[in-house]
Amino acid sequence: MKYIDHKILLLLLTALASIGSFAQQTEKLYLSGTGNDHTVNWDFFCTEGRNAGKWTTIPVPSCWELQGFGKYNYGFDKDSVRGKEKGLYKYSFRVPARWKDKIIKIVFEGSMTDTEVKINGQLAGPVHEGAFYAFKYDITALLKPDADNLLEVTVAKHSANASVNEAERKADFWLFGGIFRPVYLEAYPECRMEEVEIDARANGRFFAFLNIFRPQQADKLILQLYTIDGKKFGPAINAPFNIRFGLTWIDTAFVNPRLWSPEFPNLYDAVFTLWKNGKPVHTVKQRFGFRTVEVKERDGIYVNDVKVKMKGVNRHSFWPTSGRTTSKAISIQDVLLMKEMNMNAVRMSHYPPDDHFLDVCDSLGLFVMDELAGWHGHYDTPTGKKLVEEMLAHDVNHPSIIFWANGNEGGHNFELDSLFVKGDIQLRPVVHPWQLFGGFDTQHYREYNYGIGNYNNGREIVMPTEFLHGWYDGGHGAGLQDYWEAMWHDPLSAGGFLWDFADQGVVRTDKNGELDTDKNRGADGILGPYHEKEGSFFTIKEVWSPVYVERREITPAFDGKFRLENRYFYTNINQCSFQWTLAKWEGGKRVDVKGTAVAPNIKPAGKGILSVALPVNWKQYDVLYLTAFDPYKRALFTWSFPIVRPAAVAAALVDTTGNGAVTITIADSLYQVTANGIQLVIHQRTGLLTSVRNAKGVIPFNNGPVLQEGVNNFNGYTHRFEGQQLVITSTFDRKNSFNTLEWTIYPSGWVKMQVNYFPEAYFTTLAGVNFSFPESDMKAVEYMGSGPYRVWKNRMKGTQFGVWRKDYNNTETGEAPWKYPEFKGYHANLYWCKFITSTQPFTVVTENEDMFLRLFTPAWKEDQWKNYMLYFPSGDISFMQGIAGIGTKTQRNETTGPMGTRHIYYDYEKDRSRAKELVLYFNFNEAQ
C-alpha cells in the first residue's frame, strides 16, 4: 500500500489576511489526486472483466475501464457482468498532528456507483448510492492519531438500488465504474460553520443562512465582503446569531455592487468569521455573485431585471482517455470553447458536474442548468431526497446556476420538486426537461413548423432543453439560423440548448486504443472527442454572435456603412471594438491593408450604423473582412464581403486569345478537337466530354456535363468557327431539347462550357452539372470561394471568403480520424478551383455567382427513421446552383426550417430566356 508523502496537495481555504493560524480555517488534505492531470496511485482489485482477480494499483481519481479493468458499457448494454463488477481500493494515510482535537470528515466528490467506505476496518457510514454527488462521513472517532490509517473502499459499478440504475445507468451515455472524482479530508474546529448559503441580489440585498455547530463556543459572527483582487467591499457586518440553536440568518445590503452575468461575470468573496473573546474561532470564505433570477409567467426569464434567452448547449463531463474523470484545465477549455461559439448557457446533461466546472462557469460567465440524474427512469423518493440534498449543498452558491432540472426525458420524480424549493435559498426555478412544467415548455427536438407555431400560439415560456440533435454532420448549425431568428423575435421564446457539446468517443484500452462512440450513439457533438472543431462550430459562432451584422452587398456605391443590431443583453456595442481588413491575391500571395472602426453607441436590443473609413483604392481589393471583438478582446466573428465578382475574376484568368490554331475532326460520332497541346473528345450526339489529354498525358476528367434533376436532352449539335475559336453547340427546341449545351475552345487551349437548363420539377433538391473523376487520383484542391468548411443548404453561415487549400481526406463527421475540415461535400461561392491530382492538375473557373463546388460523396449513413439523409448528385465532381440541406438524428432536413426545404424553380413554359445559365472555363494546361 502507498503512503501519503510531501507531494500530496494540501489546500487551505483562505481566511482573512489578518488570520494566519491553522486553527481558524477549514483545512483540506487530498488523499487522491485532483483530476485526470494529477492522480495518486491506490491499491486496487477488480472482481470481473479485464485484469480481474489480482491486487495491483490504479490512479485515483479515474474510471477503471480506462485503466484496463472490467468491461466497457454503453447505457443500453446488458451483459453477464452486469451487477457483479466491483472495485476494491486500499490506501494508507496519516493525518497532521495539528489536527488533534479537530472534527475530520472524508469527502468523496463522485464515485460510481454504490460506495462502501471503511476506516481501519470500521464502516464510516451507510453505503452511498448515486454516482454524481459529493458525499462525506465524519471519521473523527475512527482515526488513529500519529499512526497509519487504512482507507478501504468498495465500489459496485451497478447499484443494489434499482432506482439508481433506472436514473443513472439505463441512459444514453457511457457507463463507467470507479472513484472518478477527488477524495479528500476536511478538518474543522468543533465550533464551525458547515452550511453557508447565500442569496445576493441585483439590488444589493444580501441574505445568508448559516448552520453553526457548537455555537456556545463563539460570541460573535462577522461578515466582510471582498472583491476578487482582495479589496474590501462595504463595511464589516456584525451578524447576530442564535447561540442556542446555531441557525443564523443574515439580512443586509450593499451599495452599488457590480452584478454577475455571462457578459460581466463579476464575483465577490464573502468571508464569515466566528469569534470568541476577541479571537477568531473559525473562518469560511464563499465566492458568490450579485444577481437576481426571476421567471415571469407567460413572459420570460429575467436576470437582473433583463429578459434573456439561452444560447445553450448540453455538456457531459467527459474526456476520451479518462471517461468521466476530468480536470479544471478541461473545464476551462470547455467553457472557453462555448464562449468562442458565442454561447451564454450550458445544461448539465444529465447529472451534476465537477465543482471546478461550475467555478469556471462562475468566473468566465455562463448560465447553468444543473440537473439531477434521470433518463426515462428516476430515483425513488428516499434515495432522491438524499441526492437532491447533496446536490444542493454542493452547488447552491454558484451564481452561474439559474435553473435546477429534476431529471430528463421522463426521468422526473415529482415528489422531489418541493425539495429544490425548500433547499435553495435563492428559490431558483425548477424545470422538467422534455415536459411542460413550471411555466416552461421544454419539449425536445421540435420540428420547425410545429415548434414555431407553438411559439406563436402557445401560452408558456418555450425553451427546448435539447434541439437540433447533432448526429454526425447534421443538426447544430444546420437549421440553427432559421430556429434562432424565430426564437430571437418571439417574446415567449427563452432560447434553448443544442444537443450536444462533443462526440462521446472513449479510448478502448481493450481494442488497441480505438476511439469508440458506440457506433452512432456518441457521435453527436459540435466538437470531436478531443475537441476538434466541426463546421457547425463556426456556423454557431456566426448565428449566435451578439453583434449582428445585417446582410450587405458590396457595390461600387458602397459607403462604408454596415447596419448592426445589438443582441447582447447587458453590453453596449461601444464596449466592443472592430477591425477591418482589405485583401487581394496577386501572384498567388495575399496582400492586406488593415484598419479599425469606432464602435457605435448601440444599447442592447438596439440598432445602429457602423462606419468603416476605407482607403480610396478599396475597389482594387478582392474582399473586405470585418471582425467584431467583445469587451475582453475576444473575436466574436469575422464576416467577409466579396468586392470582386466572379465574372471579373474569370475575365482576368481566362485566356481567350492565343496564336495557335484550333482544329476539329469528326470520327465515330466524336468531335476530336486540338488547341495548344490540348486534345478534347466530345460526343457528337450527347455533347458530353469523353476524354481530355495534353502533352503530359490523360487527365481523367470526363463524362460531363450531366444535368442533375434536369433532362439531359442536349441535341442537334453543330459546330462553327468564330474567328479563331471553335464553337460546338446544341439546338434549342421548346419541346424536345429545351436544355442547351455549348462548348467554346480558344486557341490558348482554354475551354468554355455554357449550359442553359430548366430544372426537372417545380420542387428541386439539386441543380447543376456533374463530371466523373477518380477519387483515388485526387490529392488536394486550391480554390477561391467560401471555406474552408463544407456547407449545406440549411448551414450556410460560418465560412469566410478567400483562397483556400484543402488536402484530400476521407473524414466523415463524427468518426475517426476526426480530421477537419472534411474534404468531401459542398463548398460555397466558388470563383475558381485548381484540382491537384496524382497525374496533373487542371483549373476550373466560373463567372456565375452563388456557385457550389461538390467534391465527391461523403459516406451515407441510413438511420432507422431515415432522417439523416445525404442528398448528393451523381458523378464525382459537380458544379451546382442548388444544393441539399441535411437532416439530424431526429428531423429530416425539410423540417428544420425554410432553409432545409427544396428549391422552387419556375420553367416559364421553357422560355429560353428564362433558363438558368451555368458557365465554366477549363484550363487543362495548368502547371503543377
Side-chain angles (χ1 to χ4, degrees), residues 532-593:
E532 301 91 341
K533 295 177 181 178
E534 299 175 7
S536 280
F537 181 97
F538 301 96
T539 304
I540 295 165
K541 183 177 178 66
E542 180 174 4
V543 173
W544 275 351
S545 170
V547 174
Y548 178 83
V549 180
E550 189 176 277
R551 178 179 172 179
R552 180 68 197 258
E553 291 288 313
I554 305 298
T555 70
F558 177 58
D559 59 3
K561 290 182 169 54
F562 292 94
R563 293 187 60 83
L564 305 184
E565 179 183 351
N566 185 350
R567 293 188 173 182
Y568 276 111
F569 298 107
Y570 306 95
T571 304
N572 192 307
I573 295 295
N574 63 17
Q575 296 171 274
C576 300
S577 56
F578 293 86
Q579 177 179 291
W580 57 264
T581 302
L582 288 168
K584 60 182 176 180
W585 283 264
E586 295 178 340
K589 294 183 178 179
R590 174 171 156 169
V591 179
D592 287 356
V593 60

Side-chain angles (χ1 to χ4, degrees), residues 769-784:
V769 298
N770 307 308
F771 290 85
S772 296
F773 187 87
E775 186 176 330
S776 59
D777 281 6
M778 187 64 69
K779 294 174 62 179
V781 293
E782 292 178 359
Y783 71 98
M784 174 178 273

Side-chain angles (χ1 to χ4, degrees), residues 743-802:
W743 293 99
T744 302
I745 299 90
Y746 300 103
S748 62
W750 278 83
V751 178
K752 177 184 178 181
M753 181 210 77
Q754 179 172 324
V755 174
N756 293 80
Y757 68 103
F758 297 92
E760 188 172 21
Y762 179 78
F763 292 106
T764 304
T765 302
L766 302 168
V769 298
N770 307 308
F771 290 85
S772 296
F773 187 87
E775 186 176 330
S776 59
D777 281 6
M778 187 64 69
K779 294 174 62 179
V781 293
E782 292 178 359
Y783 71 98
M784 174 178 273
S786 295
Y789 286 84
R790 69 186 184 192
V791 298
W792 304 94
K793 182 174 181 290
N794 54 351
R795 195 188 78 190
M796 294 294 294
K797 288 188 178 292
T799 60
Q800 290 183 21
F801 181 82

